Amino acid sequence: MSSVVVDILKELVFRNRDRRANPVLDGPMRPNSALEECPVLSTAITEPDDIAFALDGSAYVSAGRKVYRFDNADFSQPVVAAEFDGLATGVAAHPAGGVAVCVAGQGIALLGGPDEGSMLGIEGQGGLKCPTALVVGAQGDIYVCDGSRDNTPDRWAYDLMQKRRSGRVLRIDGASRQVEVIADGLGYPNGICIGLDGTSLIVSEAWTHNLLRLSLGPAGARQRPQAVQQNLPGYPARIAPFGAGYCLTMFALRTQLVDFVLTEDSYRRKMIERIDQAFWIAPALRSEGHYLEPVQGGGLKKHGSLKAWAPPRSYGLVIFLDDDFEPESSLHSRVGGNCHGVTGVASDGRSVFVTSKGNGKIVQASAGLTQ
């Protein structure tokens, strides 16, 4: 049977399949254990989600419904800066001082600056159900990733398994506080930063494994995203400028098994209905080692040891990109490691700091540690 006929049959039988092959980790993204060797600055916070540095050098970290502040460079003695009724997710420095914080179901909270304690409620445009990340422009305009209009941030696995594509990017005018949608129909936008050119936004789209560019056009103009990097090996999270390029985090690695399950609609529906979420065939921020967790053949222990190349239940990955979004180096925490589920990233101008939500760590990362 010719390959053309086979391709036609695949299109008829597997209409929802992802046509892009799961990429191999090679070259600058060759697996290593460099993330395990990075200095761990704090383990005092449970499931740290995102991190940002204010203009005064203070570090703010979101976790659950709280935001913590570190006033010292050694990341000791975290102080609760604020607690909210909703989940605190993305954090970003504000040019007027302090930080802006995404609060699910409420809006954008301002901490540590002249508007300390104020909440920018988002009532229009369907509210802010699933904020994941934000960045604040030089003029005070706030750009927010609303990951999904169907699920809250803690139900991200549901959003993936339901194959939702309802994510948006919102712009909040710094003066009028007017909210507008500048991009929608996205597959869980999960990270955002202002491009090095200063005229665009860079957005990570988790479910499609892409990095997108949005032009900072005039107000009221809805943008058509342009893919600047496609078919990434994992599920991208936050991204931040660093040096002459960017630093991108990935909260989980793709596997052939999960990619296959995403093509099986009937199976996924039954899995969601009948199985506890902790035991789904889906990405995870960490592995609990429970005997009910799904395991591929390569993930079985042989002679009492787990192979480093085993298909990952969870993984830690930080990628350093150049100004053209091509990988230059990467830091890994492989199967069996203890720095998985990397979700947040920030730079103080000299170093990069990432949060391992899966293992409850704040880590100082360095591209020079790549092996």
Side-chain angles (χ1 to χ4, degrees):
M1 188 178 295
S2 71
S3 60
V4 175
V5 175
V6 172
D7 289 340
I8 293 175
L9 289 175
K10 285 182 178 179
E11 290 296 324
L12 292 174
V13 178
F14 304 109
R15 295 179 184 273
N16 295 323
R17 70 188 177 100
D18 191 341
R19 291 159 180 81
R20 300 172 301 177
N22 195 332
V24 175
L25 292 175
D26 203 356
M29 289 194 287
R30 181 181 178 182
N32 54 59
S33 299
L35 193 55
E36 303 282 338
E37 302 170 9
C38 293
V40 177
L41 304 179
S42 176
T43 59
I45 300 175
T46 302
E47 295 190 342
D49 188 16
D50 198 9
I51 182 172
F53 287 91
L55 294 179
D56 63 1
S58 300
Y60 289 80
V61 177
S62 61
R65 298 176 183 270
K66 298 179 181 179
V67 174
Y68 297 85
R69 185 181 70 249
F70 292 90
D71 294 320
N72 40 16
D74 60 358
F75 280 80
S76 62
Q77 300 178 344
V79 176
V80 177
E83 186 170 1
F84 307 100
D85 294 332
L87 291 174
T89 55
V91 188
H94 197 288
V99 295
V101 183
C102 295
V103 183
Q106 297 187 27
I108 307 299
L110 301 178
L111 302 177
D115 296 321
E116 165 73 34
S118 63
M119 176 73 73
L120 305 180
I122 298 180
E123 303 296 337
Q125 302 293 352
L128 196 60
K129 186 171 185 175
C130 185
T132 57
L134 78 166
V135 66
V136 186
Q139 304 303 316
D141 292 346
I142 301 175
Y143 300 91
V144 188
C145 289
D146 189 13
S148 173
R149 302 186 70 180
D150 303 295
N151 293 288
T152 52
D154 56 327
R155 287 174 58 89
W156 61 266
Y158 285 85
D159 204 72
L160 173 60
M161 290 294 111
Q162 293 166 352
K163 302 181 74 169
R164 303 294 187 183
R165 296 293 187 271
S166 59
R168 309 176 296 171
V169 178
L170 309 177
R171 174 182 176 271
I172 305 173
D173 188 271
S176 68
R177 306 304 190 196
Q178 182 179 356
V179 180
E180 62 175 328
V181 178
I182 60 175
D184 60 4
L186 303 180
Y188 207 81
N190 201 23
I192 189 170
C193 71
I194 295 178
L196 295 177
D197 58 8
T199 64
S200 61
L201 297 170
I202 307 302
V203 177
S204 66
E205 191 179 17
W207 303 161
T208 60
H209 322 291
N210 293 338
L211 292 180
L212 308 176
R213 187 195 300 275
L214 289 173
S215 175
L216 288 175
R222 186 166 299 197
Q223 305 295 326
R224 174 171 293 182
Q226 172 195 1
V228 294
Q229 182 61 266
Q230 295 179 291
N231 203 30
L232 291 165
Y235 299 87
R238 277 85 182 210
I239 184 172
F242 179 64
Y246 303 86
C247 183
L248 173 67
T249 60
M250 294 203 178
F251 69 86
L253 203 64
R254 294 168 62 184
T255 66
Q256 292 178 334
L257 180 59
V258 173
D259 283 359
F260 173 72
V261 167
L262 287 170
T263 67
E264 298 295 319
D265 296 339
S266 177
Y267 176 86
R268 284 199 327 279
R269 285 194 294 267
K270 293 177 182 178
M271 181 178 71
I272 294 171
E273 293 170 1
R274 303 176 185 179
I275 300 177
D276 189 299
Q277 179 191 339
F279 309 125
W280 286 359
I281 299 177
L285 297 179
R286 62 179 173 271
S287 174
E288 303 289 356
H290 195 282
Y291 71 95
L292 289 179
E293 286 184 356
V295 177
Q296 291 179 245
L300 297 174
K301 286 188 176 182
K302 300 295 179 67
H303 304 291
S305 64
L306 185 65
K307 305 303 180 185
W309 42 258
R313 169 72 171 165
S314 61
Y315 202 86
L317 181 56
V318 178
I319 303 175
F320 292 91
L321 308 170
D322 63 17
D323 56 353
D324 288 324
F325 305 96
E326 293 297 328
E328 290 187 322
S329 62
S330 58
L331 311 176
H332 298 244
S333 177
R334 292 186 285 187
V335 175
N338 55 19
C339 196
H340 290 185
V342 182
T343 55
V345 60
S347 173
D348 63 355
R350 301 179 301 276
S351 301
V352 168
F353 301 82
V354 299
T355 57
S356 168
K357 187 174 183 178
N359 292 112
K361 297 179 179 181
I362 299 174
V363 175
Q364 183 177 354
S366 171
L369 288 176
T370 300
Q371 298 176 342

